Amino acid sequence: MLALLPDDVLVLLDDHFLDLGGTYGVPEAGDPIQYDELHIEHDDGTVEIVVYNGAILLPFTDSEAVKGIHEVCCRLDDITALRRRA
């Protein structure tokens, strides 16, 4: 599956990114609840990353992890939208 991703996304998914598994944000922080969810399968298992209400979380954090996750999610959304139009 990774071979199907553009190089700019692959660069973002470095080894450090695989250490970011977990949950970020607070589901109760927004209504309606908005979330991004990534499941990354690799040789050593699966990494699951969930970010709740990133639009609320992002402006109030200095976390490079949250910023990196946001960047990957946005790029994947762009790719998905382009493929739907094709």
Side-chain angles (χ1 to χ4, degrees):
M1 182 67 174
L2 287 178
L4 300 175
L5 296 174
D7 289 342
D8 63 325
V9 175
L10 293 175
V11 168
L12 297 171
L13 295 175
D14 61 9
D15 290 336
H16 171 69
F17 197 86
L18 299 177
D19 296 331
L20 301 179
T23 301
Y24 300 84
V26 179
E28 297 82 19
D31 185 19
I33 297 171
Q34 177 264 334
Y35 72 97
D36 292 307
E37 187 172 351
L38 295 172
H39 294 262
I40 303 168
E41 295 180 14
H42 57 96
D43 293 339
D44 296 327
T46 301
V47 175
E48 295 182 21
I49 301 170
V50 178
V51 178
Y52 288 102
N53 299 305
I56 296 170
L57 176 63
L58 197 61
F60 297 101
T61 185
D62 289 331
S63 170
E64 291 302 317
V66 171
K67 292 175 185 177
I69 294 166
H70 177 74
E71 189 173 359
V72 168
C73 289
C74 286
R75 185 62 182 112
L76 292 174
D77 283 344
D78 292 345
I79 292 167
T80 302
L82 288 173
R83 290 184 179 167
R84 283 187 195 144
R85 288 185 208 141

